[in-house]
Amino acid sequence: MPPIAKEICIGNLGNLQTLPDSFTWELTSADSVIPPSSAAVKESIPVIDLSDPDHVTTNLIGNACHTWGAFQIANHGISQKLLDEIESLSKTLFDMPSEKKLETASSEKGVSGYGEPRISSFFEKKMWSEGFTIADGSYRNHFITLWPHDHINNCRIIEEYKDEMEKLANRLMSSILGSLGVTVDDIEWGQKPGNSGSKVGRGAIRLNHYPVCPEPERAMGLAAHTDTTILTILHQSNTGGLQVFREESGWVNVEPSPGILVVNIGDLFHILSNGKIPSVVHRAKVNHTRSRISIAYLWCGPAGDDVEIKPIPKIIGPVGQSLYRSVTWKEYLQIKYKVFDKAFDAIRTR
Ligand SMILES: C=C1C[C@]23C[C@@]1(O)CC[C@H]2[C@@]12CCC[C@@](C)(C(=O)O1)[C@H]2[C@@H]3C(=O)O
Ligand SMILES: O=C(O)CCC(=O)C(=O)O
Ligand SMILES: [Fe+2]
């Protein structure tokens, strides 16, 4: 009798000695990073020092956004202690037995809880990763399940991280808007009483874990995607894996550096900018000897469900045309998770 195939669970990937077929991706040469012999090998997204004067950072951020749709930041004001705390919380979570993690599985992809990335349904093959999404307050119940005696401190870390990241996201948005010659007041919802500044924020956190992989070249940690956000701030542990895509350069590694955060422009900023800045296509590769943690703060702006996201009139200009129709964040998220990489086409006006 043939052996009964054991169900492969994402909570146990690190124990596997071979790459199962369901996790084996058919990658072509276009999928690899630039060969080391290429002159462009040193190319990577710029690191911008946020302690430099505002006019300097705005200019550098503007250039990076136009070129890459992404940049890295130093001296951003997020304490190393908080970054270490959230990284260590994530490690403790993913080190738990698979059955324990599954007790906190999200009921639906994309809402709070443990599970595969929401984009996984668009790919035939499975991704070599597990994650935990914090999209609303329901994560607190999951934390009680995971840490019956230590949830209060872990919830404190999450709340502090969200508050600090939201302030940073607002600051970065102002800078990026500044580089486009506008301010937050030029956005309709930026002027709404109660919706301005950082008071009403919409931010999710995704804790990602990429276990050690027996055949990293044929596996994929997190498949190529753009984020459905205004911007995403990413903290990566000391193992590389993040790659960004640019037409002119192909896939480019974004190596981790202590205290440096990565900022990705998401789809909503691309819409607000009337297509002037790209939302960056990125992915995460995995490693043969080292596991990797990343923590993404996915920021959708000071926007409630009913707030309209559309190109900023001042960016379109008096004679220009709007590239995209107006959408609410909720509506755009629905479109994205129906048509995935065709979402911009679905809301294009011409
Ligand atoms: C706010 C959100 C963005 C996200 C979908 C979600 O509803 C919550 C999870 C987020 C995340 C994190 C990992 C990568 C990503 C593409 C995914 O699969 O789930 C993003 C989603 C997104 O940006 O669309
Ligand atoms: O792990 C990474 O480097 C990328 C994570 C990511 O893209 C995401 O969470 O949206
Ligand atoms: Fe992402």
Side-chain angles (χ1 to χ4, degrees), residues 12-158:
N12 281 331
L13 292 179
N15 298 337
L16 298 182
Q17 304 298 313
T18 54
L19 192 67
D21 183 55
S22 53
F23 287 82
T24 307
W25 291 59
E26 268 172 36
L27 300 170
T28 64
S29 58
D31 281 304
S32 35
V33 275
I34 312 154
S37 57
S38 160
V41 75
K42 289 203 182 76
E43 195 179 35
S44 191
I45 60 173
V47 181
I48 297 167
D49 185 340
L50 293 190
S51 64
D52 280 346
D54 280 358
H55 69 276
V56 176
T57 52
T58 299
N59 196 22
L60 293 171
I61 288 177
N63 285 342
C65 285
H66 282 93
T67 313
W68 294 96
F71 51 96
Q72 303 180 79
I73 47 175
N75 295 317
H76 37 65
I78 308 292
S79 74
Q80 192 58 46
K81 178 172 174 272
L82 188 56
L83 295 173
D84 291 345
E85 278 181 323
I86 198 158
E87 191 179 318
S88 139
L89 175 157
S90 310
K91 278 189 187 135
T92 320
L93 193 165
F94 295 120
D95 272 351
M96 288 186 190
S98 190
E99 306 74 52
K100 189 83 198 159
K101 291 184 273 192
L102 285 171
E103 279 180 43
T104 65
S106 50
S107 47
E108 228 186 291
K109 274 189 190 136
V111 295
S112 290
Y114 174 79
E116 295 179 333
R118 188 164 182 183
I119 55 170
S120 53
S121 53
F122 296 101
F123 298 88
E124 225 177 274
K125 297 294 183 169
K126 287 184 160 290
M127 299 176 208
W128 197 263
S129 63
E130 58 180 338
F132 191 98
T133 300
I134 296 159
D136 55 31
S138 68
Y139 83 88
R140 291 191 197 97
N141 288 334
H142 292 323
F143 273 27
I144 294 174
T145 306
L146 294 169
W147 294 284
H149 307 295
D150 206 14
H151 64 276
I152 293 177
N153 188 44
N154 287 333
C155 290
R156 192 264 310 157
I157 294 170
I158 296 297

Side-chain angles (χ1 to χ4, degrees), residues 216-242:
E217 312 75 32
R218 301 208 294 157
M220 184 60 74
L222 185 59
H225 67 280
T226 58
D227 294 338
T228 317
T229 58
I230 287 194
L231 56 86
T232 302
I233 304 173
L234 188 87
H235 164 62
Q236 36 177 352
S237 65
N238 60 3
T239 305
L242 174 65

Side-chain angles (χ1 to χ4, degrees), residues 277-341:
I277 54 176
S279 57
V280 65
V281 177
H282 56 286
R283 68 181 185 185
K285 291 289 287 168
V286 290
N287 196 288
H288 192 235
T289 50
R290 303 177 66 169
S291 68
R292 173 171 183 265
I293 295 276
S294 77
I295 294 127
Y297 177 74
L298 301 129
W299 193 63
C300 301
D305 283 349
D306 57 336
V307 168
E308 298 283 332
I309 307 276
K310 62 180 184 196
I312 300 171
K314 207 166 160 186
I315 295 182
I316 302 172
V319 290
Q321 274 189 310
S322 179
L323 260 191
Y324 301 109
R325 72 171 171 84
S326 168
V327 276
T328 62
W329 183 75
K330 222 171 161 181
E331 185 190 1
Y332 185 73
L333 200 65
Q334 273 166 3
I335 295 172
K336 177 87 174 254
Y337 283 93
K338 207 158 149 198
V339 299
F340 193 48
D341 55 355

